[in-house]
Amino acid sequence: MHEVLLDDECGGELIELTPRCPKCRSPRVESRHLARRFGGAIGAIVGTTGGVAAALAGAEIGFLGGPIGALLGVTAGVVIDGIVGGAAGCAAGSRLGDGIDRNILHNRLCRDCGHAFSDRA
Ligand SMILES: [Zn+2]
């Protein structure tokens, strides 16, 4: 499975104070953002899917106005709703994942000793 690179496209990196490794006190600690990346990717997929589904539902109504109207409605609706839904879903998912990273997962990884730890250990 290839990595979905949505992290920097929806909100960017948060400025964070870098903690020190609780094991070796090294400042060379990196954030893994596991849940945040996962949440952003899932959110984008769900948001895009939801947006497209909403656009297609609107298109069914559009058929009542004739095939040309439906075609225009589908094209514009899918593109716009997909983009808006994807961006909103990505942002929401990233925010949710960020909270999970901070509170639940071992989000920090020491580059010197490889020790993984949480922000609120
Ligand atoms: Zn360490």
Side-chain angles (χ1 to χ4, degrees), residues 12-51:
E13 288 291 322
L14 296 172
I15 298 172
E16 298 174 87
L17 295 173
T18 304
R20 289 176 179 268
C21 174
K23 195 172 179 181
C24 69
R25 311 308 300 172
S26 169
R28 285 167 32 89
V29 169
E30 66 181 26
S31 296
R32 300 201 289 179
H33 292 311
L34 296 176
R36 183 178 166 197
R37 288 180 185 173
F38 186 72
I42 295 298
I45 292 166
V46 171
T48 303
T49 305

Side-chain angles (χ1 to χ4, degrees), residues 39-66:
I42 295 298
I45 292 166
V46 171
T48 303
T49 305
V52 171
L56 291 177
E60 290 184 14
I61 297 170
F63 273 114
L64 296 173

Side-chain angles (χ1 to χ4, degrees), residues 6 9-11 36 39-41 43-44 84-98:
L6 291 168
E9 295 176 10
C10 56
R36 183 178 166 197
V84 171
C90 184
S94 292
R95 185 161 297 217
L96 179 67
D98 208 33

